[in-house]
Amino acid sequence: MAGVINSGSWWSWPGWVKAMKQAGMRYAVLTTRHTSGFLLWDSATTGFDVAASPVPTDVVGEFVKECRLQGIVPGLYYCMWGNKQWMPHPNARAIILAQLAELMGDRLADVVVSDMAPNLSGIESSDAARIEHLVELALEFSRQHMKPQGALVVKVFHGSGYSQLVKLFKQSFQVVKPIK
């Protein structure tokens, strides 16, 4: 069944966040970019966003504002995976970085979680280098967009390059906790 949603009938951040707080939640995470590529903020990188929808509202900004107002830590999830039309885009990396910069704006994250993983080839040295590159990208992003006492969580596979990544993290953070 398809139809246009009347935003006033189901979507009210004060009500949703109040319900979260009553449920005992201490943080909430909003998916800001869907796998289809749809963005919940007005982006200069695409017209496939909330500004072009029947409810052109700054969903992300209102979510963050209301969470902080009611004492819930807001989290933003940006899904990089997309449909077949997105991934082969020749400027995918530049677009992703531009969208992440727009998404964060002047906000600083409490926590950055990177679940990025490359397509594995089965060649350990090549796969380790690809993983290391993605972790370095996540680290660079957190340096620019995370609060000073924030936390970065990344996916790293044990193998060649692992000890160098742990060393890099120890240079950047007060506490490093490898978890298996």
Side-chain angles (χ1 to χ4, degrees):
M1 175 193 261
V4 176
I5 295 173
N6 176 351
S7 66
S9 66
W10 69 276
W11 179 64
S12 160
W13 281 128
W16 279 101
V17 176
K18 180 180 177 183
M20 293 174 202
K21 193 162 182 83
Q22 288 173 342
M25 293 173 61
R26 294 179 298 170
Y27 67 92
V29 178
L30 175 68
T31 299
T32 61
R33 180 189 184 274
H34 187 269
T35 58
S36 67
F38 187 79
L39 306 176
L40 290 183
W41 74 93
D42 184 8
S43 175
T45 66
T46 183
F48 193 48
D49 60 25
V50 73
S53 76
V55 187
T57 305
D58 180 9
V59 176
V60 175
E62 289 188 22
F63 168 78
V64 169
K65 178 182 165 189
E66 193 59 38
C67 282
R68 289 190 172 146
L69 183 69
Q70 294 194 42
I72 301 281
V73 175
L76 305 177
Y77 176 72
Y78 176 94
C79 180
M80 290 188 355
W81 182 83
N83 58 31
K84 291 178 183 178
Q85 295 172 344
W86 171 257
M87 295 311 285
H89 195 288
N91 295 321
R93 180 181 168 150
I95 292 169
I96 289 168
L97 291 173
Q99 288 178 353
L100 287 170
E102 286 178 345
L103 175 61
M104 294 307 296
D106 61 357
R107 295 183 281 264
L108 292 177
D110 293 288
V111 178
V112 172
V113 177
S114 170
D115 66 350
M116 297 185 290
N119 291 328
L120 298 177
S121 67
I123 303 168
E124 184 181 340
S125 61
S126 174
D127 292 342
R130 290 169 152 171
I131 292 166
E132 186 175 347
H133 176 68
L134 292 176
V135 171
E136 288 170 349
L137 289 174
L139 181 59
E140 182 60 30
F141 177 83
S142 12
R143 286 179 176 149
Q144 295 173 15
H145 299 287
M146 191 171 65
K147 291 180 179 178
Q149 298 302 315
L152 171 61
V153 180
V154 297
K155 181 186 337 185
V156 177
F157 298 108
H158 289 268
S160 64
Y162 176 79
S163 59
Q164 291 91 335
L165 287 174
V166 172
K167 183 178 178 181
L168 179 64
F169 270 67
K170 287 183 177 181
Q171 293 169 353
S172 303
F173 294 95
Q174 293 175 356
V175 178
V176 176
K177 293 183 184 181
I179 301 170
K180 289 185 179 184

